[in-house]
Amino acid sequence: MAGAVWAFISAAARSRRPDQILQAPLPGLASAGTIVPLTLVSLVVSEFPMHVLAVEAAAAAALVWRGALRRRSGLLGLGLAAAAWAGLVGARRDAHRARHVLTESLSAALGKGYVVRLPQDSPADDKVSFRQIWFPRLTERA
């Protein structure tokens, strides 16, 4: 049951209109009443999608090891978790497209030659290490 609840919350947090998703089962909630609590969940999911996937996969593996697949609810939970994982992989794919979108936007606004006017090397241009991906220092952004 907890996996289904988490899948619903994470799907709502990744949607474009989480307030509409939550107002169907909970019609008394105002828009601000649904957006504010989902801010933390959506921030974690959008900034660390692969971390969330690893935690969810570990939890699912532990439940499967304890025999969760012997019941229909366990199979349903695993199916919902797999759908959530597909969404997390999609979030990571979207994040990797951000550089291309930003480059196109800057080219449209500043002209094709804007890259020539930028400084040549920057520490942010270095390759990202395994440690930086999985154990980032939260005080720095690349």
Side-chain angles (χ1 to χ4, degrees):
M1 180 64 178
V5 170
W6 177 254
F8 177 75
I9 290 173
S10 61
R14 285 192 297 272
S15 74
R16 296 190 189 276
R17 296 299 312 256
D19 55 333
Q20 289 178 349
I21 290 173
L22 290 178
Q23 282 177 351
L26 304 168
L29 289 178
S31 183
T34 58
I35 295 292
V36 174
L38 288 174
T39 301
L40 180 61
V41 174
S42 62
L43 178 68
V44 171
V45 170
S46 67
E47 291 296 317
F48 304 106
M50 301 316 290
H51 296 77
V52 172
L53 190 145
V55 169
E56 287 182 2
L63 291 171
V64 167
W65 184 74
R66 293 187 64 181
L69 297 181
R70 292 186 200 133
R71 295 183 173 175
R72 279 191 190 157
S73 61
L75 291 171
L76 178 64
L78 185 61
L80 289 172
W85 299 337
L88 290 168
V89 170
R92 178 158 168 83
R93 187 183 61 241
D94 291 347
H96 280 280
R97 284 194 297 225
R99 175 176 285 212
H100 176 69
V101 170
L102 179 63
T103 302
E104 282 186 2
S105 299
L106 287 172
S107 294
L110 302 174
K112 294 280 183 194
Y114 84 94
V115 176
V116 177
R117 297 187 301 267
L118 294 176
Q120 287 301 316
D121 289 329
S122 163
D125 292 335
D126 295 340
K127 203 75 168 144
V128 179
S129 71
F130 177 82
R131 187 209 55 84
Q132 291 170 319
I133 292 173
W134 285 98
F135 306 105
R137 292 192 180 126
L138 299 179
T139 57
E140 65 184 40
R141 294 285 289 198

